[in-house]
Each structure stands twice: as C-alpha cells, then as structure tokens.
Amino acid sequence: MILVKYCMVLALTAIALTSCSDKSLQKYLVEKQDDDKFVKMDIAASLLQGNTSNFTQEEKDILNTIKKVNVVAYPIIEGDTADYVKERQELKAILDQEQYKELTRIKSNDWNATLKYMGEEDAIDEVIVFAIDDTRGFAVFRLLGDNMRPDQMLKLMKSAERGDLDVSKLKGFGEIFKD
C-alpha cells in the first residue's frame, strides 16, 4: 500500500513538472495580465521611430521586422521577495526550455540579463530579454516579429545608442525600478 502511494505521488509530481515545463512564455504572460503585482506594457514597433530619428534605409527595414514589443515587470515592493523568487524561478524554468535559444548573457554588479530567441538563426520570430535585479525586481522584454536576425538586432541596438530609437515610451516603465 505504501508503495502504491509513493508511486502515485511520483506520478503526480512528474505530471506537474511536465505540465510546467511545457508552459510557454506567451501563456505565462497571458496568465499574469490581471495580476496586480506585475506591470505590463505593449508597444507597437512603429512607435519606436521618433520624430528626430535618423535611420538609414537598412535600419528602417530592420525596424519593420519588429511588429510589437511586450514588456512585463515584477517590481519588488517593500522588500517582499517571497513571490518575486517564485515568479522568477517559474520564468527561468520556462526560458530554460529547449525552444528558447540563448543569444548572450550580460552581467553587472547589480543586475544580469539573458537574451534568448525563438525560431531559426536567420528567421527569428521572437527575441526575449530577461533582466533580473534581486533588489528591484525583474523584467521581460519580448520583441515579436517576422524573420528578424541577430546581426540586424545588433545594428538596431547601435542606432539606439546613437539616440535614433525613441525609447521615451519606456521611460516611465524604468521609474518602477528606481530606488
């Protein structure tokens, strides 16, 4: 009888773990839409082209491969880290699945970020930036598009450094994580 109970517990645990590991980032983000602990924002890629942008035609073409940017963040409020740790671990488990391929990792003293993608290297459908700061919270930036390429995203990042990419729509979002 004890063996049967043990086997049932193992089977239920395996089913639970399997169902968690099959969860997609999109499903996770949809589930969090009504959760007040999360801050959410969707931006059409066309809004990233500011009035003073000096994009080359190539950069405009690259920007046109991005259709939408989803941003979801979990700020740590008043040191409440129990739910933060749970949510961060759930997101990490989702992004550690095989369909999310790693582009790079960026680390600093205070935070770190992982860049991942879905699709083929020459035809990326989704770019994901998962940034973590254990004192402020985490954020997921999800760029959705058609046939995006890593080399093109790097060129677009350089235009952002020049100030051509209008990130003012995200400015208020960053205020959440200020001390």
Side-chain angles (χ1 to χ4, degrees), residues 7-21:
C7 288
M8 282 297 283
V9 169
L10 283 177
L12 290 173
T13 302
I15 290 168
L17 290 175
T18 302
S19 63
C20 286
S21 67

Side-chain angles (χ1 to χ4, degrees), residues 73-114:
Y74 188 103
I76 295 173
I77 299 172
E78 298 176 10
D80 182 13
T81 59
D83 285 338
Y84 161 77
V85 169
K86 179 183 141 298
E87 295 295 340
R88 186 190 70 207
Q89 288 173 337
E90 186 175 353
L91 253 176
K92 186 174 177 339
I94 291 168
L95 294 174
D96 283 345
Q97 294 177 80
E98 190 174 318
Q99 72 259 32
Y100 300 102
K101 300 166 189 125
E102 189 168 312
L103 280 171
T104 189
R105 290 178 184 258
I106 303 166
K107 293 188 182 235
S108 83
N109 292 339
D110 300 327
W111 59 271
N112 63 62
T114 304

Side-chain angles (χ1 to χ4, degrees), residues 103-166:
L103 280 171
T104 189
R105 290 178 184 258
I106 303 166
K107 293 188 182 235
S108 83
N109 292 339
D110 300 327
W111 59 271
N112 63 62
T114 304
L115 279 70
K116 296 199 172 207
Y117 70 93
M118 283 184 64
E120 301 302 316
E121 282 186 31
D122 58 346
I124 295 174
D125 300 318
E126 188 173 326
V127 174
I128 301 144
V129 179
F130 181 39
I132 300 170
D133 179 325
D134 284 332
T135 59
R136 296 182 180 158
F138 66 75
V140 177
F141 297 83
R142 185 173 173 237
L143 285 70
L144 303 171
D146 295 319
N147 299 321
M148 297 182 291
R149 294 190 342 239
D151 60 321
Q152 291 178 329
M153 294 300 111
L154 292 174
K155 285 181 184 177
L156 201 55
M157 287 175 68
K158 288 182 182 178
S159 68
E161 288 172 5
R162 286 195 321 259
D164 288 337
L165 199 60
D166 184 5

Side-chain angles (χ1 to χ4, degrees), residues 59-74:
E59 290 167 337
K60 287 178 186 176
D61 293 342
I62 294 168
L63 194 56
N64 287 333
T65 66
I66 302 171
K67 302 300 178 211
K68 184 164 100 172
V69 179
N70 302 124
V71 186
V72 176
Y74 188 103

